[in-house]
Amino acid sequence: MAKREAETRDENYDLISVLYHALQGQETLGQYIADAENADDQELVEHFRDIQERYREIALQTKGLLKEKLISEESEAEEDDDEED
């Protein structure tokens, strides 16, 4: 596996990536649910809905964490600007 470059990837990028993939998974599961409904397979419908809900929870948790980190970074940057003045 290639080593990550510090200049191009950071924790915020990683969080954004997790958020994107969780949202993408949620969307994809919508199609799987429709397929299972068309096949009249209630067991699969329920299974896919459970997974979709987990993706939703992951997305919400990740979005909250990203927001906290961005606010914290913004506060730190403002403090650094104040110290330079």
Side-chain angles (χ1 to χ4, degrees), residues 35-54:
D35 292 345
E37 288 172 337
N38 288 337
D40 200 28
D41 189 332
Q42 193 57 37
E43 182 181 16
L44 276 183
V45 169
E46 290 175 22
H47 179 69
F48 291 145
R49 282 190 179 144
D50 287 344
I51 296 169
Q52 189 179 46
E53 177 61 21
R54 289 183 207 156

PDB file of all heavy atoms in Angstrom, residues 35-54:
ATOM      1  N   ASP A  35     -34.745  -3.106  -5.229  1.00  0.00           N
ATOM      2  CA  ASP A  35     -34.603  -4.422  -5.875  1.00  0.00           C
ATOM      3  C   ASP A  35     -35.233  -5.518  -5.028  1.00  0.00           C
ATOM      4  O   ASP A  35     -35.948  -6.391  -5.546  1.00  0.00           O
ATOM      5  CB  ASP A  35     -33.127  -4.753  -6.111  1.00  0.00           C
ATOM      6  CG  ASP A  35     -32.470  -3.861  -7.153  1.00  0.00           C
ATOM      7  OD1 ASP A  35     -33.189  -3.169  -7.906  1.00  0.00           O
ATOM      8  OD2 ASP A  35     -31.213  -3.853  -7.200  1.00  0.00           O
ATOM      9  N   ALA A  36     -34.987  -5.474  -3.726  1.00  0.00           N
ATOM     10  CA  ALA A  36     -35.544  -6.494  -2.828  1.00  0.00           C
ATOM     11  C   ALA A  36     -37.063  -6.376  -2.756  1.00  0.00           C
ATOM     12  O   ALA A  36     -37.765  -7.399  -2.698  1.00  0.00           O
ATOM     13  CB  ALA A  36     -34.922  -6.366  -1.435  1.00  0.00           C
ATOM     14  N   GLU A  37     -37.574  -5.147  -2.765  1.00  0.00           N
ATOM     15  CA  GLU A  37     -39.030  -4.963  -2.765  1.00  0.00           C
ATOM     16  C   GLU A  37     -39.646  -5.511  -4.040  1.00  0.00           C
ATOM     17  O   GLU A  37     -40.696  -6.173  -3.992  1.00  0.00           O
ATOM     18  CB  GLU A  37     -39.379  -3.476  -2.596  1.00  0.00           C
ATOM     19  CG  GLU A  37     -39.121  -2.969  -1.199  1.00  0.00           C
ATOM     20  CD  GLU A  37     -39.283  -1.468  -1.068  1.00  0.00           C
ATOM     21  OE1 GLU A  37     -39.172  -0.731  -2.078  1.00  0.00           O
ATOM     22  OE2 GLU A  37     -39.512  -1.019   0.083  1.00  0.00           O
ATOM     23  N   ASN A  38     -38.984  -5.258  -5.173  1.00  0.00           N
ATOM     24  CA  ASN A  38     -39.469  -5.793  -6.448  1.00  0.00           C
ATOM     25  C   ASN A  38     -39.458  -7.312  -6.464  1.00  0.00           C
ATOM     26  O   ASN A  38     -40.301  -7.939  -7.115  1.00  0.00           O
ATOM     27  CB  ASN A  38     -38.648  -5.249  -7.620  1.00  0.00           C
ATOM     28  CG  ASN A  38     -38.933  -3.790  -7.887  1.00  0.00           C
ATOM     29  OD1 ASN A  38     -39.987  -3.268  -7.527  1.00  0.00           O
ATOM     30  ND2 ASN A  38     -37.982  -3.105  -8.509  1.00  0.00           N
ATOM     31  N   ALA A  39     -38.501  -7.900  -5.751  1.00  0.00           N
ATOM     32  CA  ALA A  39     -38.413  -9.364  -5.662  1.00  0.00           C
ATOM     33  C   ALA A  39     -39.315  -9.908  -4.562  1.00  0.00           C
ATOM     34  O   ALA A  39     -39.377 -11.116  -4.358  1.00  0.00           O
ATOM     35  CB  ALA A  39     -36.967  -9.784  -5.408  1.00  0.00           C
ATOM     36  N   ASP A  40     -40.008  -9.009  -3.862  1.00  0.00           N
ATOM     37  CA  ASP A  40     -40.895  -9.372  -2.751  1.00  0.00           C
ATOM     38  C   ASP A  40     -40.156 -10.185  -1.687  1.00  0.00           C
ATOM     39  O   ASP A  40     -40.663 -11.171  -1.168  1.00  0.00           O
ATOM     40  CB  ASP A  40     -42.120 -10.140  -3.273  1.00  0.00           C
ATOM     41  CG  ASP A  40     -43.273 -10.101  -2.281  1.00  0.00           C
ATOM     42  OD1 ASP A  40     -43.363  -9.128  -1.505  1.00  0.00           O
ATOM     43  OD2 ASP A  40     -44.076 -11.070  -2.269  1.00  0.00           O
ATOM     44  N   ASP A  41     -38.919  -9.729  -1.370  1.00  0.00           N
ATOM     45  CA  ASP A  41     -38.089 -10.397  -0.369  1.00  0.00           C
ATOM     46  C   ASP A  41     -37.975  -9.486   0.849  1.00  0.00           C
ATOM     47  O   ASP A  41     -37.060  -8.659   0.952  1.00  0.00           O
ATOM     48  CB  ASP A  41     -36.707 -10.708  -0.952  1.00  0.00           C
ATOM     49  CG  ASP A  41     -35.865 -11.588  -0.054  1.00  0.00           C
ATOM     50  OD1 ASP A  41     -36.061 -11.557   1.188  1.00  0.00           O
ATOM     51  OD2 ASP A  41     -34.988 -12.296  -0.592  1.00  0.00           O
ATOM     52  N   GLN A  42     -38.915  -9.625   1.769  1.00  0.00           N
ATOM     53  CA  GLN A  42     -38.992  -8.745   2.932  1.00  0.00           C
ATOM     54  C   GLN A  42     -37.769  -8.888   3.840  1.00  0.00           C
ATOM     55  O   GLN A  42     -37.333  -7.916   4.449  1.00  0.00           O
ATOM     56  CB  GLN A  42     -40.275  -9.006   3.723  1.00  0.00           C
ATOM     57  CG  GLN A  42     -40.593  -7.950   4.744  1.00  0.00           C
ATOM     58  CD  GLN A  42     -40.715  -6.551   4.137  1.00  0.00           C
ATOM     59  OE1 GLN A  42     -41.211  -6.369   3.034  1.00  0.00           O
ATOM     60  NE2 GLN A  42     -40.239  -5.560   4.870  1.00  0.00           N
ATOM     61  N   GLU A  43     -37.208 -10.073   3.907  1.00  0.00           N
ATOM     62  CA  GLU A  43     -36.013 -10.280   4.727  1.00  0.00           C
ATOM     63  C   GLU A  43     -34.862  -9.394   4.232  1.00  0.00           C
ATOM     64  O   GLU A  43     -34.184  -8.742   5.027  1.00  0.00           O
ATOM     65  CB  GLU A  43     -35.596 -11.750   4.713  1.00  0.00           C
ATOM     66  CG  GLU A  43     -34.388 -12.047   5.581  1.00  0.00           C
ATOM     67  CD  GLU A  43     -33.975 -13.515   5.541  1.00  0.00           C
ATOM     68  OE1 GLU A  43     -34.406 -14.251   4.629  1.00  0.00           O
ATOM     69  OE2 GLU A  43     -33.217 -13.908   6.446  1.00  0.00           O
ATOM     70  N   LEU A  44     -34.661  -9.368   2.913  1.00  0.00           N
ATOM     71  CA  LEU A  44     -33.603  -8.523   2.353  1.00  0.00           C
ATOM     72  C   LEU A  44     -33.935  -7.043   2.504  1.00  0.00           C
ATOM     73  O   LEU A  44     -33.041  -6.232   2.785  1.00  0.00           O
ATOM     74  CB  LEU A  44     -33.384  -8.840   0.877  1.00  0.00           C
ATOM     75  CG  LEU A  44     -32.471 -10.006   0.550  1.00  0.00           C
ATOM     76  CD1 LEU A  44     -32.298 -10.153  -0.957  1.00  0.00           C
ATOM     77  CD2 LEU A  44     -31.123  -9.860   1.224  1.00  0.00           C
ATOM     78  N   VAL A  45     -35.205  -6.685   2.337  1.00  0.00           N
ATOM     79  CA  VAL A  45     -35.610  -5.290   2.518  1.00  0.00           C
ATOM     80  C   VAL A  45     -35.214  -4.827   3.914  1.00  0.00           C
ATOM     81  O   VAL A  45     -34.590  -3.769   4.081  1.00  0.00           O
ATOM     82  CB  VAL A  45     -37.127  -5.106   2.290  1.00  0.00           C
ATOM     83  CG1 VAL A  45     -37.590  -3.726   2.744  1.00  0.00           C
ATOM     84  CG2 VAL A  45     -37.491  -5.336   0.832  1.00  0.00           C
ATOM     85  N   GLU A  46     -35.550  -5.595   4.912  1.00  0.00           N
ATOM     86  CA  GLU A  46     -35.233  -5.230   6.293  1.00  0.00           C
ATOM     87  C   GLU A  46     -33.722  -5.180   6.524  1.00  0.00           C
ATOM     88  O   GLU A  46     -33.213  -4.277   7.196  1.00  0.00           O
ATOM     89  CB  GLU A  46     -35.902  -6.202   7.262  1.00  0.00           C
ATOM     90  CG  GLU A  46     -37.407  -6.050   7.305  1.00  0.00           C
ATOM     91  CD  GLU A  46     -38.093  -7.089   8.178  1.00  0.00           C
ATOM     92  OE1 GLU A  46     -37.432  -7.671   9.065  1.00  0.00           O
ATOM     93  OE2 GLU A  46     -39.294  -7.305   7.962  1.00  0.00           O
ATOM     94  N   HIS A  47     -33.011  -6.154   5.974  1.00  0.00           N
ATOM     95  CA  HIS A  47     -31.560  -6.198   6.123  1.00  0.00           C
ATOM     96  C   HIS A  47     -30.919  -4.948   5.513  1.00  0.00           C
ATOM     97  O   HIS A  47     -30.084  -4.285   6.147  1.00  0.00           O
ATOM     98  CB  HIS A  47     -31.003  -7.460   5.457  1.00  0.00           C
ATOM     99  CG  HIS A  47     -29.526  -7.586   5.526  1.00  0.00           C
ATOM    100  ND1 HIS A  47     -28.852  -7.821   6.701  1.00  0.00           N
ATOM    101  CD2 HIS A  47     -28.583  -7.477   4.560  1.00  0.00           C
ATOM    102  CE1 HIS A  47     -27.551  -7.864   6.458  1.00  0.00           C
ATOM    103  NE2 HIS A  47     -27.364  -7.659   5.170  1.00  0.00           N
ATOM    104  N   PHE A  48     -31.316  -4.621   4.288  1.00  0.00           N
ATOM    105  CA  PHE A  48     -30.750  -3.454   3.617  1.00  0.00           C
ATOM    106  C   PHE A  48     -31.142  -2.156   4.325  1.00  0.00           C
ATOM    107  O   PHE A  48     -30.345  -1.218   4.391  1.00  0.00           O
ATOM    108  CB  PHE A  48     -31.161  -3.416   2.148  1.00  0.00           C
ATOM    109  CG  PHE A  48     -30.539  -4.503   1.313  1.00  0.00           C
ATOM    110  CD1 PHE A  48     -31.251  -5.085   0.273  1.00  0.00           C
ATOM    111  CD2 PHE A  48     -29.249  -4.955   1.542  1.00  0.00           C
ATOM    112  CE1 PHE A  48     -30.692  -6.082  -0.517  1.00  0.00           C
ATOM    113  CE2 PHE A  48     -28.679  -5.958   0.767  1.00  0.00           C
ATOM    114  CZ  PHE A  48     -29.403  -6.521  -0.275  1.00  0.00           C
ATOM    115  N   ARG A  49     -32.345  -2.084   4.858  1.00  0.00           N
ATOM    116  CA  ARG A  49     -32.756  -0.885   5.601  1.00  0.00           C
ATOM    117  C   ARG A  49     -31.924  -0.723   6.880  1.00  0.00           C
ATOM    118  O   ARG A  49     -31.579   0.392   7.259  1.00  0.00           O
ATOM    119  CB  ARG A  49     -34.245  -0.940   5.929  1.00  0.00           C
ATOM    120  CG  ARG A  49     -35.107  -0.575   4.740  1.00  0.00           C
ATOM    121  CD  ARG A  49     -36.555  -0.397   5.112  1.00  0.00           C
ATOM    122  NE  ARG A  49     -37.317  -0.025   3.922  1.00  0.00           N
ATOM    123  CZ  ARG A  49     -38.534  -0.407   3.669  1.00  0.00           C
ATOM    124  NH1 ARG A  49     -39.195  -1.181   4.519  1.00  0.00           N
ATOM    125  NH2 ARG A  49     -39.155  -0.024   2.571  1.00  0.00           N
ATOM    126  N   ASP A  50     -31.629  -1.839   7.535  1.00  0.00           N
ATOM    127  CA  ASP A  50     -30.769  -1.786   8.729  1.00  0.00           C
ATOM    128  C   ASP A  50     -29.386  -1.232   8.376  1.00  0.00           C
ATOM    129  O   ASP A  50     -28.846  -0.378   9.085  1.00  0.00           O
ATOM    130  CB  ASP A  50     -30.615  -3.169   9.365  1.00  0.00           C
ATOM    131  CG  ASP A  50     -31.864  -3.647  10.086  1.00  0.00           C
ATOM    132  OD1 ASP A  50     -32.751  -2.815  10.367  1.00  0.00           O
ATOM    133  OD2 ASP A  50     -31.937  -4.861  10.364  1.00  0.00           O
ATOM    134  N   ILE A  51     -28.834  -1.728   7.287  1.00  0.00           N
ATOM    135  CA  ILE A  51     -27.514  -1.265   6.850  1.00  0.00           C
ATOM    136  C   ILE A  51     -27.588   0.206   6.465  1.00  0.00           C
ATOM    137  O   ILE A  51     -26.704   0.998   6.826  1.00  0.00           O
ATOM    138  CB  ILE A  51     -26.992  -2.119   5.680  1.00  0.00           C
ATOM    139  CG1 ILE A  51     -26.768  -3.564   6.133  1.00  0.00           C
ATOM    140  CG2 ILE A  51     -25.696  -1.521   5.124  1.00  0.00           C
ATOM    141  CD1 ILE A  51     -26.514  -4.525   4.990  1.00  0.00           C
ATOM    142  N   GLN A  52     -28.631   0.595   5.756  1.00  0.00           N
ATOM    143  CA  GLN A  52     -28.803   1.981   5.355  1.00  0.00           C
ATOM    144  C   GLN A  52     -28.869   2.902   6.575  1.00  0.00           C
ATOM    145  O   GLN A  52     -28.280   3.976   6.589  1.00  0.00           O
ATOM    146  CB  GLN A  52     -30.072   2.120   4.502  1.00  0.00           C
ATOM    147  CG  GLN A  52     -30.227   3.479   3.859  1.00  0.00           C
ATOM    148  CD  GLN A  52     -31.484   3.558   3.016  1.00  0.00           C
ATOM    149  OE1 GLN A  52     -32.550   3.133   3.438  1.00  0.00           O
ATOM    150  NE2 GLN A  52     -31.341   4.102   1.812  1.00  0.00           N
ATOM    151  N   GLU A  53     -29.545   2.455   7.627  1.00  0.00           N
ATOM    152  CA  GLU A  53     -29.634   3.237   8.852  1.00  0.00           C
ATOM    153  C   GLU A  53     -28.260   3.382   9.502  1.00  0.00           C
ATOM    154  O   GLU A  53     -27.915   4.445  10.022  1.00  0.00           O
ATOM    155  CB  GLU A  53     -30.623   2.592   9.826  1.00  0.00           C
ATOM    156  CG  GLU A  53     -30.730   3.287  11.167  1.00  0.00           C
ATOM    157  CD  GLU A  53     -31.208   4.734  11.090  1.00  0.00           C
ATOM    158  OE1 GLU A  53     -31.841   5.120  10.093  1.00  0.00           O
ATOM    159  OE2 GLU A  53     -30.935   5.486  12.051  1.00  0.00           O
ATOM    160  N   ARG A  54     -27.456   2.331   9.471  1.00  0.00           N
ATOM    161  CA  ARG A  54     -26.098   2.422  10.026  1.00  0.00           C
ATOM    162  C   ARG A  54     -25.263   3.443   9.263  1.00  0.00           C
ATOM    163  O   ARG A  54     -24.519   4.223   9.864  1.00  0.00           O
ATOM    164  CB  ARG A  54     -25.420   1.059  10.005  1.00  0.00           C
ATOM    165  CG  ARG A  54     -26.008   0.093  11.009  1.00  0.00           C
ATOM    166  CD  ARG A  54     -25.276  -1.216  11.007  1.00  0.00           C
ATOM    167  NE  ARG A  54     -26.180  -2.273  11.433  1.00  0.00           N
ATOM    168  CZ  ARG A  54     -26.029  -3.537  11.137  1.00  0.00           C
ATOM    169  NH1 ARG A  54     -24.993  -3.933  10.422  1.00  0.00           N
ATOM    170  NH2 ARG A  54     -26.883  -4.442  11.559  1.00  0.00           N
TER     171      ARG A  54
END
